[in-house]
Amino acid sequence: MHPSTHFTHAICRTPPASAVRGLRAVDTGAPDIALLRADHEAYVAALRATGARVEVLAPAEDFPDSLFVEDTALCLPQGAVILTPGAPSRRGEAELMAPVLERFYGEVTPLPRGHVEGGDVLVTGREILAGLSARTDRAGVLALAEIVSGWGYTLRAAETPPDVLHFKTACSLLAPETLLATRQLAATGCLAGYEVLEVPAGEEAAANAIRFNDAVILPAGFPRTAEMLDKAGYTVAEIGNEQAAKLDGGMSCLSLRFSPPAG
Ligand code: GLY
């Protein structure tokens, strides 16, 4: 069991009713809050089914995107970094998360400068990849690199493809040296040296999955990706994501996954 794929804990946050006003690149209509919450409950159940302890925080109505807790922090076994989201409307979400993570870590490290959203940070078995994006800037990535180097990690900057919200919108870790990725991201070369399973054409949104303990949590509706992962030996749990997708959200965005020092 590797710390990049196996976790004792996760934190999620119940979608607020205000999620109807969440950020989105293209407006395809507001999410249905009842359906969004039902999908969220199924997601939490899938995480718990792996044996992890999952804390579900109360909705934060002042922050329409606050269900996407991943963007607020980077959690590693050695410590947690409270990030500064690039989206101004989301910065208060990180402040809300700090005291929650302090309960697990004792103290947390704030990002001292720049902007990073957790959706742009992929921890693999050998390094941390940070995608520069509209939400994550070079100053933030350099500051994050300094912090995690003190914990023994190498952080490498990459480019998030244009018109893609976050780096992990286009890829996810399946095993310490194996990724699921869109052809567009794989073609940039930033994943060279890893085994890469490319999502079939037309199923690009399936690239935002998570490996969580013995399961791969995959958005529902991508049968060829599910079949590919099944054939590769992964245990796949499919979770509805139609409503969160209206806010450009996916499987990784909905949780912070970690094993705290005392966990
Ligand atoms: N709606 C999620 C985000 O744009 O951050």
Side-chain angles (χ1 to χ4, degrees), residues 3 27 47 50 71 87 97 150-151 159 173 181 186 204 209 212 214-215 252:
D27 195 353
L47 298 185
T50 71
D71 293 315
M97 191 56 74
W151 296 336
E159 295 287 340
L173 192 76
E204 284 74 11
F212 189 75
D214 290 340
S252 74

Side-chain angles (χ1 to χ4, degrees), residues 13-16 19 36 40 63-69 244 247 253-255:
R13 188 183 286 286
T14 300
L36 181 61
H40 193 265
F63 299 102
D65 289 293
S66 55
L67 64 160
F68 303 124
V69 287
L247 304 177
C253 318
L254 292 169
S255 59

Side-chain angles (χ1 to χ4, degrees), residues 23 65 68 90 135 165 247:
L23 298 173
D65 289 293
F68 303 124
R90 302 201 56 194
R135 303 285 184 84
L165 175 60
L247 304 177

Side-chain angles (χ1 to χ4, degrees), residues 85-108:
S89 68
R90 302 201 56 194
R91 292 192 187 137
E93 295 174 34
E95 287 163 30
L96 284 185
M97 191 56 74
V100 178
L101 288 174
E102 278 168 0
R103 282 198 273 114
F104 294 96
Y105 283 91
E107 62 181 289
V108 296

Side-chain angles (χ1 to χ4, degrees), residues 2-202:
H2 193 275
S4 61
T5 54
H6 283 70
F7 310 90
T8 57
H9 290 68
I11 293 173
C12 301
R13 188 183 286 286
T14 300
S18 60
V20 292
R21 300 193 302 276
L23 298 173
R24 62 204 83 170
V26 177
D27 195 353
T28 59
D32 178 307
I33 297 302
L35 294 178
L36 181 61
R37 286 184 174 161
D39 287 343
H40 193 265
E41 282 173 17
Y43 177 86
V44 169
L47 298 185
R48 285 187 174 140
T50 71
R53 292 177 60 181
V54 182
E55 180 163 334
V56 182
L57 304 174
E61 292 294 346
D62 289 345
F63 299 102
D65 289 293
S66 55
L67 64 160
F68 303 124
V69 287
E70 175 176 61
D71 293 315
T72 64
L74 173 64
C75 297
L76 297 166
Q78 298 82 357
V81 183
I82 298 296
L83 300 173
T84 307
S89 68
R90 302 201 56 194
R91 292 192 187 137
E93 295 174 34
E95 287 163 30
L96 284 185
M97 191 56 74
V100 178
L101 288 174
E102 278 168 0
R103 282 198 273 114
F104 294 96
Y105 283 91
E107 62 181 289
V108 296
T109 306
L111 190 75
R113 57 191 174 277
H115 303 98
V116 175
E117 294 195 0
D120 283 317
V121 183
L122 179 77
V123 180
T124 79
R126 69 168 91 148
E127 62 182 344
I128 297 175
L129 279 161
L132 297 161
S133 73
R135 303 285 184 84
T136 293
D137 57 27
R138 201 166 285 282
V141 167
L142 288 173
L144 187 61
E146 281 172 23
I147 295 168
V148 299
S149 71
W151 296 336
Y153 293 86
T154 301
L155 185 147
R156 178 162 63 92
E159 295 287 340
T160 299
D163 300 323
V164 172
L165 175 60
H166 286 134
F167 190 70
K168 286 190 291 191
T169 306
C171 67
S172 35
L173 192 76
L174 294 172
E177 294 287 327
T178 306
L179 288 97
L180 178 67
T182 62
R183 179 157 299 182
Q184 180 192 33
L185 182 66
T188 67
C190 72
L191 307 179
Y194 290 97
E195 180 186 7
V196 177
L197 302 188
E198 286 184 11
V199 292

